[in-house]
């Protein structure tokens, strides 16, 4: 799952996959703004067939947060 998420994040943020780590914070480490995060969530929703409500976005700060969130929603790796 990590590799696919890194691919999506890199594509959405226009950065190299090698710069993305589990502990990477979207705003601080990857310099994503709110529009970047919105587009990232849309891409993740499309890829994994889940809905991520805006109130849940506040809980997602790192790449690992996304993985844990998707696992909790029943998404298989």
């Amino acid at each position: 799952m990590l590799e696919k998420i890194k691919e999506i994040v890199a594509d959405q943020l226009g950065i190299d996959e090698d710069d993305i780590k589990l502990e990477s914070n979207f705003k601080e480490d990857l310099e994503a703004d709110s529009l970047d995060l919105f587009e990232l969530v849309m891409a993740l929703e499309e890829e994994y067939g889940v809905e991520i409500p805006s109130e849940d976005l506040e809980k997602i700060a790192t790449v690992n947060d996304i993985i844990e969130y998707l696992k909790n929603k029943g998404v298989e790796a």
Side-chain angles (χ1 to χ4, degrees):
M1 182 182 280
L2 174 60
E3 291 306 312
K4 184 62 181 173
I5 289 181
K6 284 172 66 171
E7 181 183 314
I8 293 169
V9 170
D11 184 52
Q12 292 297 315
L13 300 182
I15 58 176
D16 194 297
E17 283 185 44
D18 294 335
D19 295 336
I20 303 168
K21 310 285 184 254
L22 263 179
E23 63 277 0
S24 294
N25 183 289
F26 292 109
K27 291 182 179 176
E28 294 169 15
D29 300 322
L30 305 178
E31 300 178 3
D33 61 23
S34 55
L35 179 60
D36 291 330
L37 293 176
F38 178 76
E39 291 173 346
L40 175 60
V41 166
M42 288 180 51
L44 290 167
E45 288 177 335
E46 186 175 322
E47 177 68 30
Y48 292 102
V50 296
E51 184 176 332
I52 303 174
S54 55
E55 60 267 12
D56 288 351
L57 287 180
E58 299 166 9
K59 304 172 195 161
I60 298 173
T62 68
V63 173
N64 192 57
D65 290 344
I66 284 182
I67 292 171
E68 292 303 313
Y69 182 86
L70 291 172
K71 285 180 181 176
N72 288 336
K73 288 286 187 180
V75 174
E76 304 265 336

